[in-house]
C-alpha cells in the first residue's frame, strides 16, 4: 500500500494566508501551495472579496521558502484561457523567473461560477504554454447528481457519511492527464469530517488536496471557503504527526502531481 499524499491549496493570495496560515505551516514544517490572482495583488481586481491581498513582498518571501509553492490563479478572477496564460506571464514577471516552482508552473482554476472556457481547451492550451498541472475543484466520476446533493447537505448538516459521499471521488490514485482535483473546505466543516477524509485517503493510499481561501478566527470566517483557525491548527498538527510516523506525506500540488506521475510509470512496468 502506498502512503497517502496530502496538500494544502490556498486560492487568491489573501493576506491571512501569510499572516495566519504561513506561521502555522512553518511551525509544523508543512508545505503548501499558494495560488496567486495577480490583478488582486496589484489592486485592480478585488470584486470577489473584501479581504486584503498579500503584498508582492509576501509572495516573494513564500517563493523563497523551499517548502512553499507559488502557483497562479489567473490574472483576473476567471478561468478563460487567455487570462490564465496572462496570469502565468505576469506572476513570473513579478518574481523575475521563468518557472514558479522546481522548474514547473502550476495553475489553479476559479470556480465554475466564474467565466471559463471548455476544460479540454484550457488544459491543452496551457500545456502548450509550459504549464505542468492544472488544479480544479471536485471530480464526480459516478452518480454526479447524488454527490452534488450530498455536498450541499453536508454544508447544512456536516456528517462524515455525507463527507465521504460528496468527496471520495475527488481523491486521486493516478494522474488524469494534467489535472489535479481538490476538496473545497468550508467554514462550517467540523474537524471530525476532515478526519474522515484523512482516514479514507490513508486506507486507499490516495492523494487528497484541501482547497481553501483563508484561515481566520473561529467566530469571524472571511467567507464560506475560509477555515477556522482551531480546525486548521489541529489538522496541521495531526498531519505533521502522521508524516513523522511515515504514514503519509504532505506535499505541494506540484510534488503531488509529480509523485502520481512517477507511480503511474512504476505501475506500467509491473
Amino acid at each position: 500500500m502506498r502512503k497517502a499524499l496530502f496538500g494544502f491549496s490556498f486560492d487568491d493570495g489573501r493576506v491571512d494566508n501569510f499572516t495566519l496560515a504561513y506561521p502555522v505551516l512553518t511551525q509544523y514544517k508543512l508545505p503548501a501551495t499558494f495560488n496567486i490572482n495577480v490583478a488582486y495583488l496589484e489592486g485592480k481586481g478585488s470584486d470577489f472579496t473584501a479581504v486584503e491581498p498579500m503584498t508582492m513582498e509576501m509572495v516573494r518571501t513564500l517563493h523563497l521558502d523551499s517548502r512553499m509553492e507559488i502557483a497562479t490563479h489567473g490574472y483576473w478572477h476567471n478561468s478563460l484561457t487567455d487570462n490564465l496564460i496572462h496570469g502565468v506571464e505576469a506572476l513570473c514577471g513579478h518574481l523575475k523567473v521563468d518557472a514558479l516552482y522546481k522548474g514547473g508552473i502550476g495553475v489553479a482554476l476559479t470556480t465554475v461560477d466564474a467565466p471559463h472556457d471548455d476544460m479540454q481547451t484550457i488544459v491543452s492550451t496551457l500545456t502548450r504554454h509550459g504549464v505542468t498541472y492544472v488544479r480544479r475543484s471536485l471530480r464526480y466520476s459516478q452518480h454526479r447528481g447524488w454527490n452534488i446533493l450530498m455536498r450541499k447537505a453536508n454544508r447544512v448538516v456536516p456528517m462524515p457519511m455525507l463527507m465521504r459521499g460528496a468527496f471520495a471521488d475527488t481523491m486521486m490514485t493516478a494522474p488524469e492527464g494534467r489535472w489535479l482535483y481538490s476538496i473545497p473546505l468550508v467554514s462550517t466543516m467540523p474537524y471530525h469530517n476532515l478526519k474522515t477524509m484523512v482516514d479514507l485517503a490513508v486506507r486507499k493510499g490516495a492523494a487528497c488536496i484541501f482547497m481553501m481561501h483563508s484561515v481566520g478566527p473561529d467566530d469571524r470566517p472571511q467567507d464560506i471557503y475560509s477555515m477556522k483557525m482551531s480546525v486548521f491548527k489541529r489538522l496541521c498538527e495531526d498531519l505533521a504527526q502522521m508524516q513523522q510516523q511515515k504514514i503519509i506525506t504532505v506535499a505541494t500540488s506540484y510534488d503531488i502531481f509529480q509523485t502520481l506521475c512517477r507511480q503511474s510509470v512504476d505501475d506500467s512496468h509491473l
Side-chain angles (χ1 to χ4, degrees), residues 14-32:
R14 304 183 185 202
V15 69
D16 58 77
N17 294 180
F18 187 84
T19 59
L20 299 178
Y22 181 46
V24 176
L25 292 164
T26 301
Q27 176 186 350
Y28 290 106
K29 300 180 180 179
L30 296 177

Side-chain angles (χ1 to χ4, degrees), residues 36 100 151 165 194 203 206 208 218 220 238 244 261 270:
I36 306 302
L100 294 173
R151 180 188 175 194
L194 287 174
R203 288 199 301 272
C208 179
D218 288 13
R220 286 183 287 111
D238 283 358
Q244 189 174 25
C261 289
L270 293 178

Side-chain angles (χ1 to χ4, degrees), residues 65-245:
D65 187 330
S66 60
R67 282 199 186 96
M68 305 301 161
E69 176 189 4
I70 296 296
T72 181
H73 197 40
Y75 187 80
W76 302 104
H77 198 256
N78 66 65
S79 292
L80 298 174
T81 308
D82 288 347
N83 175 65
L84 297 171
I85 294 169
H86 186 193
V88 170
E89 294 171 345
L91 188 55
C92 286
H94 277 296
L95 296 174
K96 297 180 172 55
V97 295
D98 295 323
L100 294 173
Y101 182 75
K102 293 185 177 180
I105 296 172
V107 171
L109 302 187
T110 55
T111 65
V112 293
D113 297 332
H116 61 87
D117 285 328
D118 170 76
M119 293 298 167
Q120 187 54 49
T121 299
I122 289 172
V123 76
S124 60
T125 304
L126 291 181
T127 299
R128 290 197 300 272
H129 281 79
V131 169
T132 308
Y133 71 86
V134 182
R135 196 227 70 201
R136 58 195 294 189
S137 186
L138 302 168
R139 173 174 60 178
Y140 296 123
S141 58
Q142 301 178 28
H143 311 300
R144 177 181 175 84
W146 181 243
N147 287 349
I148 291 174
L149 179 62
M150 284 191 285
R151 180 188 175 194
K152 292 180 177 178
N154 188 62
R155 289 186 182 180
V156 180
V157 185
M159 296 174 59
M161 178 186 69
L162 293 174
M163 187 84 175
R164 285 192 298 270
F167 301 123
D169 284 350
T170 302
M171 294 183 180
M172 299 161 286
T173 55
E176 188 177 298
R178 298 280 175 170
W179 295 115
L180 285 179
Y181 297 90
S182 58
I183 296 175
L185 303 186
V186 297
S187 57
T188 57
M189 195 174 287
Y191 182 74
H192 65 263
N193 271 25
L194 287 174
K195 188 63 166 63
T196 295
M197 301 312 293
V198 170
D199 292 343
L200 180 60
V202 170
R203 288 199 301 272
K204 295 173 66 174
C208 179
I209 296 175
F210 293 125
M211 183 279 285
M212 69 203 83
H213 291 164
S214 293
V215 171
D218 288 13
D219 59 342
R220 286 183 287 111
Q222 305 282 12
D223 63 24
I224 191 171
Y225 296 114
S226 296
M227 197 171 186
K228 294 178 179 178
M229 177 57 82
S230 63
V231 177
F232 181 65
K233 283 184 174 179
R234 186 173 177 187
L235 180 60
C236 287
E237 181 179 6
D238 283 358
L239 291 180
Q241 184 177 31
M242 294 172 74
Q243 179 164 251
Q244 189 174 25
Q245 295 169 345

Side-chain angles (χ1 to χ4, degrees), residues 1-4 173 202 204-206 247 262-264 266-267:
M1 176 66 71
R2 290 193 170 110
K3 288 195 293 187
T173 55
V202 170
K204 295 173 66 174
I247 298 171
R262 285 195 299 271
Q263 291 175 351
S264 180
D266 292 343
D267 289 345

